[in-house]
Amino acid sequence: MDCIIEARNIKVERSKKEILDVEHFQLNQGEVRAVIGPNGAGKSTLLQVLALLLRPTSGELFFRGERVNAKNTLSFRRRMAVVFQEPLLLDTTVYKNVASGLQIRGHKKKEIDGVVWEWLERLGIRSLAHRPARVLSGGESQRVSLARAFALEPEVLFLDEPFSALDYPTKSTLICELRDILQATRITTILITHDYHEIPVLAESVTVLDRGKVIQSCSQEEIFQRPANDVVASLLGLTENNKRPGC
C-alpha cells in the first residue's frame, strides 16, 4: 500500500508537560483508521498534528513521502479536510457553506455548482440548500459540515468525534450513510471517536492512545479479538454481553 501520511518521533509539550509522544504513525492510501483512547489521551492533539493544524514540539511529518516544512505546509493542508465535533458553519445558507471551501480554493462557479448539488443530494440535505445554516438541527448541521468536506475532494479526511453530540437515531443513520460514502469514494480517513460502536461500522484499522502514547495499532478485527491490555478492552466494551453494531 502507498503511504499517504507518516509521523516519526512526534512530541507535543504544553507548559512543560508532555501531551503526545508518538514514535511512529502511518496511514495508507484508502485506509479508514479509528483513533481511540481515554479522555486526555491525546487523540485530538494527534489529529491536529497530522492535519497540519498544530506544529509539534519535535518530530517529522511526511505527506506522500515528502517531508512537511514551513514552506509546503499550506499546500499540503489544502489537500485535506477536517470535520469537528461542533459544526463550524458560516452565518449564511447551507448551499454557500458547502461552496465556501471551493470558492476559497479558486474553483469556477459552474464547477462549484455541480459539486455542491451533488453532495447536498448524497447527504440528503438538498431541500435545505437555501435555508440559513444557523437554524439547522444538530444532525442537519453535521451533514452540512460533511458535505463541505467531501466537496473539496480531500486526499485525507479527518473526523474529530463528529457524532458525539447527536442523538442515537440521528447518529446511527448518519454513521451508516458515512460508511457507504467512504466505501464508494475510498477517501483516506482518520476518525477520532470515544464510541467503540462506530469502529466495526466505519474503520478498517484502529490506533489506541493512552497518556499520549500508542499502546496498540492493528486491524479492527485483531483489536477486538486480542486487545493489548485492560485499558484497550475497556475502551472496546469487551464484556460477555457485548455485540458489534451493524447498519
Side-chain angles (χ1 to χ4, degrees):
M1 282 190 176
D2 294 331
C3 175
I4 191 166
I5 290 179
E6 184 180 10
R8 301 176 188 169
N9 301 313
I10 295 295
K11 294 181 184 291
V12 175
E13 296 178 359
R14 291 176 185 156
S15 302
K16 298 183 179 180
K17 181 181 178 181
E18 188 174 84
I19 305 298
L20 200 65
D21 181 10
V22 174
E23 183 176 333
H24 187 258
F25 181 95
Q26 180 173 318
L27 185 70
N28 294 322
Q29 179 70 44
E31 182 180 2
V32 179
R33 173 82 62 88
V35 178
I36 65 173
N39 290 336
K43 302 184 296 296
S44 291
T45 301
L46 177 62
L47 178 144
Q48 291 175 44
V49 170
L50 298 176
L52 307 181
L53 299 174
L54 175 67
R55 182 177 296 179
T57 306
S58 61
E60 295 180 302
L61 282 169
F62 297 84
F63 189 85
R64 295 196 180 279
E66 185 175 349
R67 190 176 186 275
V68 176
N69 56 47
K71 293 182 178 180
N72 61 23
T73 294
L74 182 58
S75 65
F76 286 146
R77 191 185 299 156
R78 286 175 173 168
R79 295 160 70 177
M80 306 172 179
V82 184
V83 176
F84 295 100
Q85 178 178 342
E86 294 294 331
L88 303 176
L89 301 182
L90 303 174
D91 190 12
T92 184
T93 65
V94 166
Y95 178 97
K96 290 181 178 179
N97 266 278
V98 178
S100 60
L102 294 167
Q103 291 171 335
I104 291 170
R105 298 183 185 190
H107 290 262
K108 296 180 179 179
K109 186 179 185 304
K110 186 176 181 180
E111 179 187 355
I112 290 173
D113 198 51
V115 172
V116 171
W117 284 113
E118 175 190 352
W119 283 105
L120 289 174
E121 182 71 33
R122 291 182 75 167
L123 280 153
I125 50 175
R126 186 183 179 93
S127 63
L128 306 178
H130 303 297
R131 187 176 298 184
R134 296 290 175 88
V135 303
L136 301 176
S137 68
E140 291 168 342
S141 296
Q142 203 58 286
R143 286 176 183 273
V144 176
S145 292
L146 288 166
R148 181 170 58 190
F150 280 115
L152 294 172
E153 297 184 349
E155 293 178 52
V156 185
L157 175 64
F158 294 89
L159 304 171
D160 192 359
E161 300 195 37
F163 312 114
S164 60
L166 305 180
D167 61 78
Y168 181 78
T170 301
K171 175 179 178 177
S172 180
T173 300
L174 191 49
I175 287 173
C176 293
E177 291 180 22
L178 178 60
R179 175 206 59 188
D180 293 343
I181 291 172
L182 292 178
Q183 288 179 351
T185 60
R186 297 306 302 168
I187 293 175
T188 307
T189 304
I190 291 180
L191 167 69
I192 305 296
T193 182
H194 65 270
D195 185 351
Y196 63 84
H197 290 90
E198 297 173 12
I199 296 171
V201 181
L202 292 171
E204 300 160 341
S205 56
V206 185
T207 292
V208 187
L209 291 180
D210 188 24
R211 288 174 283 188
K213 297 180 184 294
V214 174
I215 58 174
Q216 189 168 5
S217 193
C218 58
S219 70
Q220 64 104 329
E221 290 87 358
E222 181 179 346
I223 204 164
F224 277 99
Q225 293 170 3
R226 292 184 291 278
N229 55 31
D230 290 342
V231 172
V232 180
S234 176
L235 290 168
L236 297 174
L238 291 177
T239 64
E240 289 184 4
N241 297 321
N242 181 55
K243 295 182 179 179
R244 298 196 198 183
C247 292

